[in-house]
Amino acid sequence: MVLRRLAPRPGRYFRAFPRSFSGLTHISDDGQRPQMVSITGKVATVREATAQCIIELPQETLEALGVGEGPMHDTSTLASKKGPVVSTAIIAGVMAAKRTSDTLPFCHPLPLEAVDVDISWLSRSELCVQCSVRVTHATGVEMEALTGASVAALCVYDMLKASSHDIIIKDLRLMSKSGGKRRYERVGADSEHPGK
């Protein structure tokens, strides 16, 4: 039996974008197919980005961690049956940031120069996860920062899920980026982070 290779029909896997969307860099000019952006010719500069998310812990998880009504615990002492929660999550976040292009198809593989994951108390029942990334390259690192923060939070969930499935990961967002064509910094109450 001879199998013929069928060319994908426009719209088979996704709908074609109208011409008004031609400014989207990850869509071809005809709006028919996804594409990786060429960074050939772009100037390499120091690019930095920071992202964060919040982990909301239910009462049963706080009790399992031994977090009571007294002084706030140092996050480095938080442990579950699987082991130290925060240090494991920090390692997971760093590893994920370095492998961002393995999971997001149009991200360029980047030789990251620094990844810093910080996990601290935002309130008595909330942890703030923040990931900062730096590279000298022709493209930015906001996706690496977002990936690092989200995977670190997922690792916290994995370390603590035996205590409750009501743990909530929320408010994943870019806090700042610099070094590229557009600088961005979140302002106001949303920019506050107790660990920095």
Side-chain angles (χ1 to χ4, degrees), residues 4-195:
R4 286 190 310 161
R5 182 179 178 187
L6 300 176
R9 297 188 304 272
R12 183 176 178 183
Y13 301 110
F14 61 93
R15 298 184 62 184
F17 285 91
R19 293 295 296 175
S20 61
F21 279 77
S22 60
L24 293 175
T25 57
H26 286 55
I27 302 296
S28 61
D29 289 340
D30 61 8
Q32 298 298 314
R33 57 187 172 80
Q35 65 181 10
M36 190 173 187
V37 175
S38 173
I39 58 173
T40 304
K42 291 182 71 176
V43 178
T45 59
V46 177
R47 313 290 185 115
E48 296 180 315
T50 297
Q52 78 173 34
C53 64
I54 308 300
I55 307 169
E56 188 176 305
L57 303 175
Q59 184 60 38
E60 55 265 42
T61 298
L62 294 172
E63 291 173 0
L65 290 171
V67 178
E69 295 298 322
M72 298 293 286
H73 285 57
D74 183 350
T75 56
S76 66
T77 65
L78 299 179
S80 71
K81 291 181 179 179
K82 289 188 173 183
V85 174
V86 170
S87 58
T88 305
I90 288 172
I91 294 170
V94 171
M95 291 176 66
K98 294 193 297 181
R99 306 281 306 259
T100 298
S101 63
D102 287 351
T103 52
L104 300 178
F106 299 139
C107 284
H108 296 81
L110 299 176
L112 301 184
E113 297 163 4
V115 180
D116 178 31
V117 178
D118 179 76
I119 301 177
S120 59
W121 290 108
L122 183 65
S123 69
R124 189 164 293 282
S125 61
E126 293 177 315
L127 290 169
C128 181
V129 181
Q130 192 168 81
C131 179
S132 298
V133 182
R134 183 175 68 249
V135 72
T136 302
H137 211 277
T139 190
V141 286
E142 55 262 46
M143 295 312 301
E144 285 73 12
L146 287 160
T147 299
S150 60
V151 171
L154 286 170
C155 184
V156 171
Y157 183 100
D158 179 56
M159 298 291 286
L160 298 176
K161 66 186 179 185
S163 65
S164 175
H165 288 107
D166 289 327
I167 300 168
I168 297 172
I169 299 171
K170 61 184 183 180
D171 298 338
L172 175 66
R173 62 186 70 188
L174 180 69
M175 302 305 291
S176 64
K177 67 182 290 283
S178 63
K181 190 164 52 176
R182 292 180 299 167
R183 182 182 178 90
Y184 172 81
E185 186 160 359
R186 191 173 295 277
V187 295
D190 286 346
S191 66
E192 296 176 4
H193 178 258

